Amino acid sequence: MSARERLVESARELLWERGYVGTSPKTIQQRAEAGQGSMYHHFAGKEELARAAIDRTAEEMRAAVDAQLSGPGAAVERIAAYLRRERDVLRGCPVGRLTQDPDVIGTPALREPVEETFAWLRARLAAVVQEGVERGELEPSVDPASTAAAIVATLQGGYVLARAAGAPEPFDQAIAGILALLNARTVS
Amino acid sequence: MSARERLVESARELLWERGYVGTSPKTIQQRAEAGQGSMYHHFAGKEELARAAIDRTAEEMRAAVDAQLSGPGAAVERIAAYLRRERDVLRGCPVGRLTQDPDVIGTPALREPVEETFAWLRARLAAVVQEGVERGELEPSVDPASTAAAIVATLQGGYVLARAAGAPEPFDQAIAGILALLNARTVS
């Protein structure tokens, strides 16, 4: 890996583990085994490097989610597969955790990719719910936009509950809860 | 207010705004208008002060939630009132945000009150759902524990979505979504 690559990958890991506020340029350089000169040759500073790191994490997340939601099967089955896919629950969501970072939310260039990712995710799930309604799998009264928002929120909040408990069970329980409510809206 | 009080209140504000990782003892002292000597007279260090601050925030949150959920009315109405009560959505939850703070989650004495608060909250909501089932307001197949976990997760994840968007709308949408799913399980 080039020094630039190592810097971006190290920044991604540290943003996930310690957040933007908790990560100094020096820590990134040490993990990347890159000098200060190298970092400032490739990036204007910590903010520009963090933006590159967030962009890449967001891109990977979108690709993975899209692959899962675009598969065959009924709408609710695809949503269930997405919610239940193997996750390192206690690490949380690498994009979602950034919303609790005051300097990410306070810096437009850093909040932008976070905002876009969640707007995209809600729209993508709303489209799946809408498909389910149009195909007659879900009750016609199911509202795609708010149902999608509740699904994404349950996932993000599930991480909060799991991290609070120091165990994945509350995450699994929240997912089971939203899926049971959603399944009750399927047309049998 | 005594110096001790000012230190605890300042720590509470800063933990909410900037988290534990992002808050130095010096910043707390400055906001509290207390000297270093005063802080170390009352507390062994930043960790002990943060614990006192988290305990108080958690206690206030429990009292407020309990008052709301113990009121009269049907189970789903009480849950709706709790979810829709006026909130400073963009600031997020003062307890939930701590789960994204690596040094809170990594320090047993700081994670403990966070864990207890969410365990209590899930149990409290599960009791309300259970009441709703027992009184025949909710379908008998509604599972109290997982439904409660989904409700708490939607609330916590709603904050994530709102902070990502820089606007409260996605929070309101997520709450509307979970309440619509829950209302569909009421016995009419």
Side-chain angles (χ1 to χ4, degrees):
Chain A
M1 269 203 281
S2 69
R4 190 185 186 284
E5 263 309 283
R6 293 199 311 273
L7 285 161
V8 172
E9 288 301 316
S10 300
R12 290 178 66 191
E13 289 170 16
L14 286 161
L15 282 174
W16 197 355
E17 290 163 23
R18 301 204 46 86
Y20 187 74
V21 166
T23 300
S24 68
K26 199 167 182 66
T27 320
I28 304 174
Q29 290 154 24
Q30 280 169 343
R31 185 167 302 196
E33 295 180 15
Q36 184 173 323
S38 171
M39 171 168 157
Y40 290 97
H41 169 71
H42 293 292
F43 302 97
K46 179 180 151 185
E47 184 181 317
E48 198 178 294
L49 170 52
R51 171 66 192 246
I54 297 171
D55 278 345
R56 189 173 302 173
T57 297
E59 211 174 283
E60 280 186 8
M61 186 175 132
R62 280 198 199 198
V65 174
D66 201 43
Q68 220 141 13
L69 290 178
S70 303
V76 175
E77 281 166 22
R78 278 181 285 155
I79 292 168
Y82 162 62
L83 290 175
R84 288 196 182 124
R85 82 179 148 107
E86 214 173 311
R87 290 167 197 275
D88 195 348
V89 167
L90 290 179
R91 288 189 76 189
C93 171
V95 184
R97 72 111 53 225
L98 297 171
T99 61
Q100 302 307 314
D101 204 307
D103 291 351
V104 169
I105 294 308
T107 308
L110 297 181
R111 187 170 67 77
E112 189 181 54
V114 177
E115 173 167 12
E116 283 173 0
T117 301
F118 281 110
W120 175 85
L121 185 56
R122 288 193 288 129
R124 188 70 193 80
L125 275 162
V128 176
V129 173
Q130 174 105 41
E131 263 175 54
V133 172
E134 282 168 4
R135 291 183 191 167
E137 300 163 12
L138 284 163
E139 300 282 351
S141 60
V142 174
D143 175 58
S146 62
T147 306
I151 292 167
V152 179
T154 303
L155 186 66
Q156 291 296 319
Y159 289 123
V160 170
L161 299 185
R163 284 175 65 92
E169 283 75 19
F171 177 94
D172 297 336
Q173 236 181 1
I175 298 302
I178 189 87
L179 284 175
L181 289 171
L182 208 53
N183 271 316
R185 306 305 320 274
T186 53
V187 179
S188 48
Chain B
M1 267 204 283
S2 69
R4 191 187 185 284
E5 262 310 283
R6 294 200 310 274
L7 284 161
V8 173
E9 288 301 317
S10 298
R12 290 178 65 191
E13 289 170 18
L14 285 162
L15 282 175
W16 198 356
E17 290 165 22
R18 303 204 44 85
Y20 187 74
V21 167
T23 300
S24 68
K26 202 172 178 63
T27 319
I28 304 173
Q29 290 155 25
Q30 281 170 345
R31 183 165 305 193
E33 294 180 16
Q36 185 174 322
S38 171
M39 170 166 157
Y40 290 97
H41 170 70
H42 293 291
F43 302 96
K46 179 180 150 183
E47 184 181 317
E48 196 178 298
L49 171 51
R51 173 66 192 244
I54 296 171
D55 279 344
R56 190 174 298 175
T57 297
E59 210 174 284
E60 280 187 8
M61 187 175 132
R62 279 196 200 199
V65 173
D66 201 43
Q68 220 143 11
L69 291 178
S70 303
V76 175
E77 280 165 22
R78 279 181 284 153
I79 292 170
Y82 161 63
L83 291 175
R84 287 195 181 123
R85 81 180 149 109
E86 213 176 310
R87 288 168 199 275
D88 194 348
V89 168
L90 289 180
R91 287 189 78 191
C93 171
V95 186
R97 72 108 55 224
L98 296 171
T99 62
Q100 302 306 313
D101 205 306
D103 291 351
V104 170
I105 293 308
T107 308
L110 297 179
R111 187 169 69 77
E112 188 181 54
V114 177
E115 173 167 13
E116 283 172 0
T117 302
F118 281 110
W120 175 86
L121 184 55
R122 288 192 289 128
R124 188 70 194 82
L125 274 162
V128 176
V129 173
Q130 174 105 43
E131 263 176 55
V133 172
E134 281 168 4
R135 291 183 190 166
E137 299 163 13
L138 284 163
E139 301 282 353
S141 61
V142 173
D143 175 59
S146 63
T147 307
I151 293 166
V152 179
T154 304
L155 186 66
Q156 291 297 321
Y159 289 124
V160 170
L161 299 185
R163 283 176 65 93
E169 282 77 17
F171 177 94
D172 297 336
Q173 237 181 1
I175 298 303
I178 189 87
L179 285 174
L181 290 171
L182 207 53
N183 271 316
R185 307 303 320 274
T186 54
V187 178
S188 49

